[in-house]
Amino acid sequence: MEYSPPPLFKQGAPARVKVTVFAFISILLLLVDSRFHTLSTVRQVTGTVLYPLQMAALMPRDALNSVSSYFSSIAALQRQVHDLQESQVASAQTLQQARMQMAENVQLRKLLGARLAVPVPTLMSEILYDARDSSTRKIVLDRGLREGVKLGLPVIDSAGVVGQVTRVFPFTSEVTLLTDKEQAIPVQVLRNGLRSVAYGRGQSGLLDLRFVAPNADIVVGDVLITSGLDGVYPAGLAVAKVVRVENSASGPFGSVVCQPLAGIDRHRQLLMLMATPDVPPRPPEEDAKPIKKSQLPKMVPIREGAPAAPLSAAAAGAAPATIMPAAPTASAPAAAAPAQRSATRSAPRNVPPVTPAPNPAATPAIPPVQPPNPEGAR
């Protein structure tokens, strides 16, 4: 049995010869194709036939690229969503600040208008926080002794009266609101000028008009303004609006509940009135001196048939009356006329004449006595 090598190992033409021949053929084909374009059709047919095989060979690579792009796109989308959310939060915060600044500008413009309308100098202030005592109605402002704040100065906003400064510190001050139980303010009804005093009702945030007559001309919707009688609040500032009127026939007074017009819960900027209205001082009170019993006129009974006793100077001034003397008798005709004239001059006026009852037995009909003639006396 002869042994023959496999075809792979059969010896033919040398390898160098083969490489040289095939290289020469390749160069020749390239030259012919570049000059005459004779192999374009063959190239297209070959590419069309080999395209499915090419796509099948590229499928693993395309699958890896698509998977990597899928996961990378998800990560990119997540980052984009996160960035958009942060941008939305920042935009919302900016929008909220812009709205707050717009509302603050509107409030400041209103305060500027109120500042021009108030006849006294004012100071702009801002609410820092509420007071520590939750049972009272107080706030703390950012103005104090350094800015010239004093006790008793009124505080207002663009809508009405807020309260009054009750404590002052170097850099802050405490204001007691009108709704506090210890606060009261004199008011009057804008519609008819009826005056009263408004008292705070505490945590309810309302005002109460006390000591109002049951038939007082006050209706729901009336606006109350400051009357200016206390010398602290200028006259004409809005205070509250009547929300409930209760007239009780059994009690001596009615009940009137009012809602303050100032926006404490809605605004942070307030105006402090740095001076009280110029009111003339009150006149000094006169000391009432008690009247002693010795200074009172004595009561003397009038006897029938006797002339009336002359009154003292105090009694004459207290009882304006005229007392006529008794009729003269025949025993003293000459002295009767001068005595009658002196009694008439000394007696007060507007007192009905007091004369004794005539006695016909003792005094018969006597003609009236004429006064003496001065010429005959001479």
Side-chain angles (χ1 to χ4, degrees):
M1 178 175 163
E2 293 182 1
Y3 175 78
S4 60
L8 181 62
F9 297 101
K10 287 183 178 181
Q11 298 294 328
R16 295 179 180 177
V17 175
K18 293 179 180 180
V19 171
T20 303
V21 172
F22 286 117
F24 180 74
I25 294 172
S26 299
I27 294 172
L28 181 61
L29 291 175
L30 289 173
L31 293 175
V32 172
D33 184 57
S34 61
R35 276 299 173 87
F36 304 104
H37 303 284
T38 56
L39 298 178
S40 60
T41 304
V42 177
R43 189 183 301 106
Q44 291 177 359
V45 172
T46 305
T48 303
V49 173
L50 296 178
Y51 181 75
L53 300 176
Q54 183 181 1
M55 296 301 298
L58 295 176
M59 283 181 64
R61 187 202 66 178
D62 295 339
L64 292 176
N65 292 336
S66 61
V67 170
S68 61
S69 63
Y70 173 76
F71 287 107
S72 62
S73 62
I74 290 179
L77 289 175
Q78 289 178 350
R79 289 194 301 269
Q80 186 177 2
V81 169
H82 184 266
D83 295 340
L84 290 176
Q85 288 178 350
E86 290 183 352
S87 176
Q88 184 180 5
V89 171
S91 300
Q93 184 177 2
T94 304
L95 179 61
Q96 186 68 22
Q97 291 179 354
R99 289 180 178 177
M100 186 170 60
Q101 290 178 357
M102 290 177 62
E104 185 175 350
N105 289 335
V106 172
Q107 174 65 13
L108 290 176
R109 289 179 181 273
K110 292 181 180 179
L111 286 178
L112 181 60
R115 185 176 189 177
L116 298 176
V118 175
V120 296
T122 59
L123 177 66
M124 189 77 66
S125 60
E126 186 175 357
I127 300 175
L128 296 179
Y129 43 82
D130 293 336
R132 296 180 179 178
D133 191 358
S134 59
S135 62
T136 60
R137 302 283 294 176
K138 297 181 181 180
I139 55 176
V140 178
L141 303 183
D142 61 344
R143 304 292 182 179
L145 293 174
R146 186 180 59 177
E147 289 79 14
V149 179
K150 301 178 182 179
L151 288 175
L153 294 180
V155 180
I156 65 172
D157 65 355
S158 60
V161 179
V162 174
Q164 190 177 13
V165 177
T166 53
R167 296 179 66 185
V168 183
F169 303 97
F171 301 98
T172 59
S173 58
E174 186 179 79
V175 176
T176 302
L177 305 182
L178 290 179
T179 55
D180 190 82
K181 292 183 178 181
E182 298 180 357
Q183 283 293 311
I185 178 172
V187 297
Q188 67 180 16
V189 181
L190 181 62
R191 179 173 55 87
N192 53 18
L194 181 65
R195 292 195 299 269
S196 182
V197 179
Y199 295 85
R201 301 187 67 178
Q203 293 296 328
S204 61
L206 300 176
L207 298 175
D208 187 13
L209 295 185
R210 303 176 185 175
F211 314 115
V212 178
N215 57 350
D217 186 12
I218 300 178
V219 297
V220 176
D222 282 344
V223 177
L224 305 180
I225 61 176
T226 54
S227 61
L229 299 181
D230 56 350
V232 176
Y233 298 95
L237 299 178
V239 177
K241 183 178 181 180
V242 178
V243 295
R244 187 170 71 250
V245 178
E246 297 177 357
N247 296 328
S248 178
S250 60
F253 303 107
S255 176
V256 180
V257 181
C258 309
Q259 177 68 40
L261 296 177
I264 296 300
D265 300 332
R266 298 183 297 272
H267 308 303
R268 294 192 62 181
Q269 288 76 26
L270 300 175
L271 282 179
M272 303 179 67
L273 306 185
M274 301 303 295
T276 56
D278 294 334
V279 180
R282 296 179 181 269
E285 297 182 358
E286 296 182 357
D287 296 336
K289 297 181 179 180
I291 300 177
K292 299 181 180 180
K293 292 184 178 181
S294 60
Q295 298 177 354
L296 295 177
K298 296 182 179 180
M299 303 297 294
V300 179
I302 299 176
R303 298 179 181 179
E304 185 177 357
L311 300 177
S312 62
T322 302
I323 301 177
M324 299 299 292
T329 60
S331 61
Q340 183 179 0
R341 288 196 298 268
S342 61
T344 306
R345 287 193 302 266
S346 62
R349 301 177 181 178
N350 301 329
V351 176
V354 179
T355 57
N359 189 357
T363 57
I366 300 175
V369 178
Q370 299 293 332
N373 190 357
E375 295 179 357
R378 292 176 185 174

